[in-house]
Amino acid sequence: MTPPADAPVRPPRPVTVTIAFWLQLATVLVLLGLVALVVTQAVQWDGHIDRAVRAVPDADPDEVRGERWSNVTMAVVLGLPTLLLALWLAATARPVRRGGNVARILVFVSGGVQLVVCCGQSFVGAFVFPLLFAIGFDDGPYVEEGYPEEGPAGPEAEIWAESKFFEELYSRSDPFDAVLFPLAGLGVLTVLVLTLAVVLLLALPPAHRWFVPRAAPAAPMPPAGYPVVPVAYAPPVPHGYQVVPPGYLICPDPAAHRAPGDAAPGPTEG
């Protein structure tokens, strides 16, 4: 099937789109690695909770339950958006390579979301930390009103006193934590750089012309000032007559040019 004359003309796929495709796949792999780190940290911390419970048999069940819930919540809050972003970029990688403009727009949206999240966290930290320092902290133990700071106190004097379970849980250092946080920070920075590179490569003019091809040029119009003469269609010629171009002499004997066996046209009845 022949495409219409005004169909968009798609140029060959530029090299920038191919590079962006492979960088997008690399971003997906880094994101999956971050998800694996989050899951590993959650499993490691759950093991720390089990060891703290074995070391402190009389630990408060509510404290243990709250620590486990906090561990699972943090894993879901950090790991689920990372996994969704990896699936988002993985689903749009192949359509981007094939020239899907909608997939390219979705990649732009994912880059914008990452930028908003990073900038939002930076702005929140810039506003919250000075506010906390302006309010000030009291490092001393909280003593309920009515009790002296030194000497015996009532059962609710130090309500922020740390329990033996938390002391046991947070007192031990894990070598994995010393590797986890640098790897997580490096992974997040790598994802941001790769996403920025993909967005820039897909936004370059060669890639834009490939994703949004322009229509074929129309037929040239006559210059201004020249009259446009409409084309007149000649009526059908009766059988036995020959169409003669204008400017040629016409033979006075049309019968000499009639094909053999053709009858001469009879008179027209009035």
Side-chain angles (χ1 to χ4, degrees), residues 2 24 32 36 39 47 60 67 71 73 116 129 134 138 140-141 145 157 174 197 206 210-211 216 231 239 253 260 262:
T2 305
Q24 188 169 341
L32 293 179
V39 175
D60 189 357
E67 192 64 28
N71 182 33
T73 303
V116 169
F129 282 112
D138 186 9
E145 184 178 358
D174 189 358
W210 188 67
F211 283 102
V231 179
H239 180 71
D253 187 10
D262 291 344

Side-chain angles (χ1 to χ4, degrees), residues 32-42 176 179-185 187:
L32 293 179
L34 289 176
V35 173
L37 283 178
V38 170
V39 175
T40 304
Q41 170 63 17
F176 179 74
V179 181
L180 171 69
F181 293 104
L183 282 179

Side-chain angles (χ1 to χ4, degrees), residues 96-217:
V96 163
R97 188 179 182 184
R98 291 183 174 181
N101 192 38
V102 176
R104 184 178 71 134
I105 294 174
L106 292 178
V107 173
F108 290 164
V109 171
S110 66
V113 170
Q114 295 181 51
L115 184 62
V116 169
V117 170
C118 293
C119 292
Q121 292 179 351
S122 301
F123 285 130
V124 169
F127 281 107
V128 170
F129 282 112
L131 181 62
L132 293 178
F133 282 112
I135 295 175
F137 295 96
D138 186 9
D139 296 333
Y142 175 79
V143 181
E144 187 178 1
E145 184 178 358
Y147 294 93
E149 294 186 5
E150 298 180 356
E156 299 180 357
E158 298 180 1
I159 61 175
W160 294 106
E162 198 172 49
S163 64
K164 294 181 179 180
F165 169 73
F166 287 117
E167 290 180 356
E168 178 66 25
L169 180 62
Y170 290 98
S171 61
R172 296 185 179 183
S173 61
D174 189 358
F176 179 74
D177 294 338
V179 181
L180 171 69
F181 293 104
L183 282 179
L186 180 62
V188 172
L189 182 61
T190 304
V191 169
L192 291 177
V193 172
L194 290 177
T195 305
L196 179 61
V198 171
V199 170
L200 290 179
L201 289 174
L202 295 180
L204 291 176
H208 180 75
R209 286 193 296 268
W210 188 67
F211 283 102
V212 187
R214 294 176 295 182

Side-chain angles (χ1 to χ4, degrees), residues 10-125:
R10 182 185 294 274
R13 184 175 63 197
V15 182
T16 55
V17 177
T18 305
I19 297 175
F21 167 75
W22 291 110
L23 290 181
Q24 188 169 341
L25 291 184
T27 307
V28 173
L29 293 179
V30 175
L31 287 171
L32 293 179
L34 289 176
V35 173
L37 283 178
V38 170
V39 175
T40 304
Q41 170 63 17
V43 174
Q44 287 283 110
W45 192 250
D46 190 73
H48 292 335
I49 295 174
D50 293 337
R51 285 192 293 270
V53 170
R54 289 193 297 268
V56 185
D58 57 343
D60 189 357
D62 292 336
E63 294 180 353
V64 177
R65 191 181 305 110
E67 192 64 28
R68 293 188 188 276
W69 176 256
S70 176
N71 182 33
V72 174
T73 303
M74 289 299 298
V76 172
V77 169
L78 297 177
L80 184 59
T82 307
L83 180 61
L84 292 178
L85 181 59
L87 295 177
W88 185 306
L89 294 177
T92 56
R94 191 174 182 86
V96 163
R97 188 179 182 184
R98 291 183 174 181
N101 192 38
V102 176
R104 184 178 71 134
I105 294 174
L106 292 178
V107 173
F108 290 164
V109 171
S110 66
V113 170
Q114 295 181 51
L115 184 62
V116 169
V117 170
C118 293
C119 292
Q121 292 179 351
S122 301
F123 285 130
V124 169

